[in-house]
Amino acid sequence: IEENDEKVSVQEGFYQEKMECSKVLLILKSPSIVLCFFVGITGGIPFAVSGTFLPSYLTAELSDALEAIGQPRITIAQTSLPVLTLGIGAAIGQIFAGILSDHMWKRQRFELLCIIMGLSAVFGGLPFLILILGPPQGI
């Protein structure tokens, strides 16, 4: 195949396109693609960072709070449970989202995919915020 005066060998089963800036800019002209990009950033970065830094953060914050009321300091091993819970919840959420999106795709309900993706990004961060900010007073 000739492409831009170059000979390109084509093997069956291999991706044949080349990435170019013009193609990326063309894709980014679609508002839904831009929305997906920003949802990925705002929804992905907090969860990626939390697995690394959440145990240390909780250890520091909870240890100070516990010492203030006369309790022993908490260890990083003890704060790993929220990270494990977060990981399990993320795995279950991804499986559920995959099943739900496949179900909607088969029924030709494409507009609902974007709505559900946006809602999951907005509400998916709430349990994380509750975990970081702590339980409401009186519980």
Side-chain angles (χ1 to χ4, degrees), residues 60-71:
E61 292 296 315
L62 291 177
S63 292
D64 292 343
L66 289 172
E67 275 188 340
I69 59 171
Q71 298 291 323

Side-chain angles (χ1 to χ4, degrees), residues 45-58 76 80 83 86 128:
I45 290 176
F47 291 105
V49 170
S50 67
T52 305
F53 298 108
L54 186 60
S56 299
Y57 172 77
L58 291 176
I76 290 181
S80 295
V83 176
L86 184 67
F128 185 72

